[in-house]
Amino acid sequence: MARYIFITGGVVSSLGKGLASAALGALLQARGYSVRLRKLDPYLNVDPGTMSPFEHGEVFVTDDGAETDLDLGHYERFTGVAARQTDSISSGRVYSNVLEKERRGDYLGKTIQVIPHVTNAIKDFINIGDEEVDFMLCEIGGTVGDIEGLPFFEAIRQFAQDKPRGQCIFMHLTLLPWLAASGELKTKPTQHSVKELRSIGLQPDILVCRSEQVIPEKEREKLALFCNVRPESVIAAYDLKSIYEAPLAYHREGLDQAVLDAFQIAPAPRPDLTVWQDVYDRIHNTDGEVNVAVVGKYTQLEDAYKSIKEALVHGGMANRIRVNVEWVDAEVFDKADAAPYLEGYHAILVPGGFGERGTEGKIKAAEFARTRKIPYLGICLGMQMAVIEAARNLAGLDKAGSEEFDHEAGEKRFEPVVYHLKEWVQGNHAVRRKVDDDKGGTMRLGAYSATLAEGSRVAEVYGGTAIEERHRHRYEVDVAYRDKLEECGLWFSGMSPDGRLPEIVEVKDHPWFIGVQFHPELKSKPFDPHPLFKDFVRAAKEVSRLV
């Protein structure tokens, strides 16, 4: 039976609960334990799939097709444990499930209330896979005091009561603000946050305190006294140069030991931190740097491309080189020459996205990379833009475009070399979709296999011809244009197993030009960089050496 660690946050949002949870999971793994991490989000969206990236950052996709919070990306990157649909839930999903049961009559005519029906649904979710791992880490989104979070706090309070004594602990992450005028770290916001927690029946066992300044022993003792925790369970969380320093930093502060002490696990296995020491070494001991332009339309919010940024960092680690990621707004050169904006970069990446805005700039970025022989990686929409660019400038299809843009505009303007995917094979059955279907969860989502062409660059990069990658899209390159495009040098080097859906394209007479329909960034980890990002950064490194 798993032991449960519930991670809550207070004072302000965006303190790094997801990172702290992921780092703690990595430390428990280093001591030989198995872990799984979960996210419980209080918002009323069923999932983040229909949210704008400006609202919620990127949408992380699991192998089994769940659209989830970006914190699940942290969980995977730090622990290597593949997330599942059962690792993410929102208030919207909970209420939707409860109301569906009510409509079916599952509650036998009873009055449906937050307690016990909603809280029971949350507890049932938390309990899934109870016997699979040693530790289950459950992060509660939002901050203590948010009205929408109350059902989740009540549910975990009940859950801890239902379990045998000592089976659950609570970790609370807060902020210690620094007042420059008085030269003091203030503990009062944390005291009030813990007071709010205790008023709803939750007593934290561990306090993790974010701080820009070293926390003096006097303040630690004060926090321990007024928040009713042991002094050794007051853990400092300082700002770091890299998030991948977090496991070592938290270990130095004694977080993993505090958790084991709270569970009364003694003697505890000693941690093997070799992997994280190697990661630290690769971050801080580099041989040069490369500049990579990410040409997108959500560039004002880096979290919109969180996994891409991290995968580029991982590629840099693999090559012992620093990757400087520059965010370039595709709209800036929608109607202008791309060269002044892209000169000086050693590689160009065009990420996924939705809608027509900024796509002409992305097409120009693909053309610049192709004609200037600059390494290019196009992901999802980035691959489609590369195909449209080749269709227009190499195959003579001046009106080449995507059905997505015509659907958005409500008029036919393009020859659709990219079309709305209406049917595909998932496992052993066919999936069918219409253009006017609901937007949420109706894309080609999750892990699908692909077959790579012998002798292709991607087969060399992957070291084989059979791969499985995660998808999130509803538009697809039309295979009907394959012959015409391949005559011009755009090789369809990766296809779905049935040969109907293009998965990868590459330019034959180019040092490194690859477009992929899937999202390789979602499977990259600091200790196991994705092959495409590893080789993409290597190619950029070669260009930097030539400049």
Side-chain angles (χ1 to χ4, degrees):
M1 186 181 296
R3 292 180 171 92
Y4 284 84
I5 305 167
F6 293 103
I7 300 100
T8 58
V11 184
V12 295
S13 59
S14 302
L15 281 179
K17 290 196 305 296
L19 178 58
S21 303
L24 176 56
L27 289 174
L28 291 171
Q29 283 182 321
R31 289 181 180 267
Y33 296 109
S34 57
V35 301
R36 178 162 289 282
L37 292 95
R38 292 198 163 134
K39 181 70 182 289
L40 290 73
D41 266 313
Y43 54 71
L44 282 172
N45 303 68
V46 171
D47 60 42
T50 56
M51 291 190 205
S52 163
F54 292 124
E55 284 281 323
H56 202 69
E58 76 167 8
V59 174
F60 190 81
V61 180
T62 62
D63 281 336
D64 54 5
E67 294 176 288
T68 73
D69 185 86
L70 60 81
D71 276 333
L72 270 75
H74 284 315
Y75 303 164
E76 280 205 23
R77 284 188 283 273
F78 277 77
T79 67
V81 177
R84 302 187 298 219
Q85 287 191 1
T86 51
D87 293 331
S88 177
I89 199 168
S90 67
S91 289
R93 174 70 68 189
V94 172
Y95 282 108
S96 177
N97 291 346
V98 168
L99 292 173
E100 284 174 11
K101 287 184 176 182
E102 185 273 333
R103 292 290 82 188
R104 288 198 305 263
D106 291 2
Y107 295 116
L108 303 176
K110 291 183 179 179
T111 302
I112 310 306
Q113 297 177 290
V114 172
I115 303 172
H117 301 97
V118 171
T119 51
N120 282 349
I122 295 170
K123 289 193 291 182
D124 290 343
F125 166 78
I126 295 171
N127 221 22
I128 295 171
D130 182 58
E131 298 178 355
E132 295 179 4
V133 293
D134 298 317
F135 288 95
M136 195 80 77
L137 286 73
C138 299
E139 177 195 346
I140 316 300
T143 55
V144 173
D146 295 344
I147 191 168
E148 61 266 31
L150 286 174
F152 288 95
F153 293 122
E154 172 60 18
I156 64 175
R157 185 195 67 79
Q158 293 180 19
F159 189 89
Q161 290 293 319
D162 295 341
K163 291 292 182 181
R165 187 176 296 276
Q167 204 72 29
C168 303
I169 67 168
F170 297 92
M171 184 173 105
H172 192 52
L173 186 71
T174 70
L175 174 69
L176 298 186
W178 168 258
L179 294 187
S182 61
E184 290 180 301
L185 276 176
K186 306 306 288 185
T187 64
K188 192 62 73 176
T190 294
Q191 292 178 47
H192 281 297
S193 182
V194 172
K195 181 180 178 182
E196 182 75 23
L197 255 187
R198 294 172 72 180
S199 73
I200 54 179
L202 300 175
Q203 166 61 50
D205 299 281
I206 297 167
L207 275 182
V208 178
C209 302
R210 285 295 304 271
S211 174
E212 296 178 359
Q213 305 287 331
V214 174
I215 303 174
E217 195 60 34
K218 179 182 174 183
E219 268 63 34
R220 287 179 187 255
E221 292 172 357
K222 188 176 181 180
L223 285 166
L225 177 64
F226 286 103
C227 297
N228 197 31
V229 299
R230 294 178 179 276
E232 61 270 22
S233 295
V234 178
I235 307 297
Y238 302 120
D239 294 345
L240 303 169
K241 290 183 179 179
S242 167
I243 62 173
Y244 300 113
E245 297 176 32
L248 295 179
Y250 276 123
H251 176 68
R252 285 194 301 270
E253 285 295 320
L255 176 59
D256 48 330
Q257 188 61 55
V259 166
L260 296 172
D261 289 345
F263 283 115
Q264 298 184 342
I265 298 175
R270 294 181 62 82
D272 179 1
L273 296 169
T274 307
V275 167
W276 292 104
Q277 288 162 350
D278 179 61
V279 167
Y280 182 91
D281 179 62
R282 288 177 178 275
I283 293 169
H284 293 280
N285 294 299
T286 56
D287 177 25
E289 59 183 33
V290 296
N291 301 318
V292 177
V294 177
V295 181
K297 69 174 183 177
Y298 309 119
T299 52
Q300 299 94 320
L301 182 70
E302 289 188 21
D303 273 359
Y305 302 118
K306 186 64 177 175
S307 290
I308 284 175
K309 168 73 180 297
E310 298 309 322
L312 286 169
V313 171
H314 305 161
M317 290 182 193
N319 290 278
R320 285 196 176 272
I321 195 160
R322 176 183 172 82
V323 179
N324 300 317
V325 179
E326 301 285 342
W327 308 101
V328 180
D329 188 347
E331 288 186 271
V332 171
F333 50 88
D334 250 351
K335 296 180 172 63
D337 182 17
Y341 301 95
L342 298 177
E343 294 278 8
Y345 291 107
H346 304 123
I348 295 170
L349 188 152
V350 176
F354 296 90
E356 188 174 2
R357 182 169 63 86
T359 53
E360 290 300 323
K362 294 178 181 181
I363 290 168
K364 288 180 180 177
E367 180 184 14
F368 180 89
R370 180 180 60 79
T371 56
R372 299 291 189 94
K373 306 295 185 183
I374 301 297
Y376 176 89
L377 176 57
I379 295 174
C380 197
L381 184 66
M383 166 179 156
Q384 296 172 7
M385 297 302 96
V387 170
I388 291 172
E389 188 278 322
R392 291 180 183 178
N393 298 322
L394 296 178
L397 302 174
D398 296 339
K399 295 292 185 181
S402 171
E403 262 192 342
E404 179 179 8
F405 311 149
D406 283 346
H407 291 157
E408 187 178 354
E411 59 177 312
K412 182 170 174 55
R413 297 166 296 156
F414 297 110
E415 181 173 349
V417 297
V418 177
Y419 70 102
H420 182 267
L421 185 60
K422 299 176 181 64
E423 182 176 325
W424 66 91
V425 175
Q426 183 173 15
N428 57 4
H429 68 280
V431 180
R432 294 177 178 83
R433 292 283 184 262
K434 299 191 293 294
V435 173
D436 57 356
D437 279 349
D438 290 344
K439 298 300 182 189
T442 58
M443 289 179 276
R444 188 175 179 224
L445 287 165
Y448 289 85
S449 299
T451 303
L452 311 183
E454 293 278 1
S456 62
R457 177 175 291 279
V458 286
E460 177 187 343
V461 168
Y462 276 97
T465 57
I467 63 170
E468 185 179 84
E469 294 283 2
R470 296 177 189 175
H471 295 64
R472 183 178 182 250
H473 62 101
R474 58 170 58 89
Y475 290 86
E476 189 86 42
V477 173
D478 193 339
V479 74
Y481 292 90
R482 177 177 181 175
D483 291 344
K484 193 162 193 172
L485 288 166
E486 288 196 331
E487 287 173 8
C488 303
L490 188 70
W491 187 9
F492 285 54
S493 56
M495 300 291 294
S496 61
D498 60 8
R500 295 171 60 189
L501 304 177
E503 294 279 9
I504 305 175
V505 297
E506 59 184 76
V507 175
K508 283 187 174 182
D509 60 344
H510 192 285
W512 210 100
F513 191 107
I514 293 173
V516 297
Q517 186 57 70
F518 45 82
H519 290 269
E521 71 274 16
L522 300 179
K523 297 179 77 170
S524 187
K525 302 167 187 67
F527 44 80
D528 185 20
H530 191 282
L532 279 173
F533 281 90
K534 181 178 178 180
D535 205 56
F536 179 57
V537 173
R538 178 203 57 77
K541 182 178 177 180
E542 287 187 5
V543 170
S544 73
R545 297 290 194 259
L546 297 173
V547 174

